[in-house]
Amino acid sequence: MVVITTTNFTLTCKPATNSLLYQLHKTLTKSKSCRSSSSNGVVVIKSYMEDSNTISGFANKIIGALPVIGLVARILTDTGGVGGDFIDFAEFRRRVGKNSSVNDSRAFIDFQDRRGRAGDPLYVLICCWLAAVGAGLLKSEEILEGVARLRISNDIEFEEETFIAMMNEAREKRSKLNVPAPAIPMEARVEKALDAIHVCCFGRDLIEEVDEQLLCVMLKVVFPSVERSEIADMVKAKAKRVAEGGEEERYPEAKPLSKEAVQLQMKDLQFLKQNSDG
């Protein structure tokens, strides 16, 4: 249920069934994995919507440093990211869903209709999440290899955990060396997201004009601070390079999973089988 409050009145309504927030909630309810119950790691990825240099960002750090107040703020805050907390993929999806209009949501649905399983909104969003919060922690080739593997495996929970582990490892290394993560402009993050979406959702297919329009809408929802015209230029330039064969070298082959990763997946399958039998 959504409650919209203005100065003069309050409007209460149920979310439209074609809203992105509703679609993602329905999809995630069906595909919820047992891994969430077994993971005890804390994600420490800075929210792409928070600027630590702003007054509000500084205030959030102060609030987060106070034990009781910080705890209450984390429970009650509408956007998260209090006290320098970092968001995981679930929180990222929630924020995007909250900020998307019906027309924005329709773009995600239309994109999936065109691309099939590879165009799943979750695939698009995990590509954007990696670019938004992983830039500076993950190498571009690591992101592209992961989403190429996701296109084949369809195991989004496993890839999320893999990326989280990689980002945490990168943060720990930087912390030991006392080297901060580089500041990546938001425009560069959009380009990284676009590259990842192409590898994950298109493979080696061309980006058609209709796809360009949908990509512009979806990227604008995730990266609202970047001008729409600038996003459109990026998408058009990308489509042109793909059509001319200039992106072929950037397309990674999905590398086989490590022995440890395969064992982890087998354990999850056994857990699911035991639960279904029970």
Side-chain angles (χ1 to χ4, degrees), residues 214-260:
L214 296 175
L215 286 169
C216 288
V217 175
M218 294 186 295
L219 289 170
K220 180 61 178 176
V221 173
V222 180
F223 302 95
S225 64
V226 180
E227 293 295 332
R228 190 178 302 275
S229 59
E230 194 165 358
I231 293 176
D233 289 342
M234 293 180 194
V235 173
K236 187 169 290 293
K238 176 75 174 181
K240 182 179 179 181
R241 291 195 302 270
V242 171
E244 295 173 348
E247 294 285 300
E248 195 65 24
E249 294 181 357
R250 299 197 62 186
Y251 188 87
E253 295 296 336
K255 294 183 177 180
L257 294 173
S258 65
K259 181 180 178 181
E260 293 77 11

Side-chain angles (χ1 to χ4, degrees), residues 12-162:
T12 303
C13 60
K14 294 182 178 179
T17 56
N18 61 344
S19 72
L20 177 60
L21 189 59
Y22 177 85
Q23 292 292 338
L24 287 179
H25 172 72
K26 185 170 67 172
T27 302
L28 291 172
T29 301
K30 291 181 180 179
S31 64
K32 187 176 181 180
S33 169
C34 64
R35 292 195 184 101
S36 60
S37 62
S38 62
S39 175
N40 57 2
V42 178
V43 183
V44 280
I45 307 162
K46 181 176 179 181
S47 164
Y48 75 103
M49 298 173 68
E50 177 187 337
D51 184 356
S52 59
N53 294 323
T54 63
I55 294 177
S56 60
F58 176 75
N60 278 341
K61 288 185 177 181
I62 297 298
I63 293 174
L66 303 176
V68 177
I69 298 178
L71 176 61
V72 174
R74 286 181 176 88
I75 296 173
L76 300 180
T77 182
D78 192 37
T79 58
V82 173
D85 284 347
F86 297 101
I87 61 174
D88 59 11
F89 185 40
E91 172 64 11
F92 182 85
R93 294 190 303 262
R94 188 188 72 80
R95 295 188 186 196
V96 174
K98 178 187 170 208
N99 292 330
S100 64
S101 66
V102 173
N103 289 335
D104 296 333
S105 303
R106 174 55 58 186
F108 283 84
I109 298 171
D110 290 346
F111 185 74
Q112 184 176 22
D113 289 342
R114 287 182 56 79
R115 304 305 311 169
R117 190 194 76 177
D120 190 310
L122 293 178
Y123 284 18
V124 175
L125 290 175
I126 198 169
C127 291
C128 292
W129 173 66
L130 291 169
V133 302
L137 294 173
L138 298 171
K139 297 178 181 178
S140 295
E141 53 266 31
E142 291 175 333
I143 294 177
L144 297 182
E145 287 172 3
V147 296
R149 189 169 56 242
L150 172 62
R151 178 180 173 87
I152 298 173
S153 69
N154 192 33
D155 193 343
I156 197 166
E157 291 91 355
F158 174 79
E159 295 301 337
E160 178 188 356
E161 289 182 358
T162 301

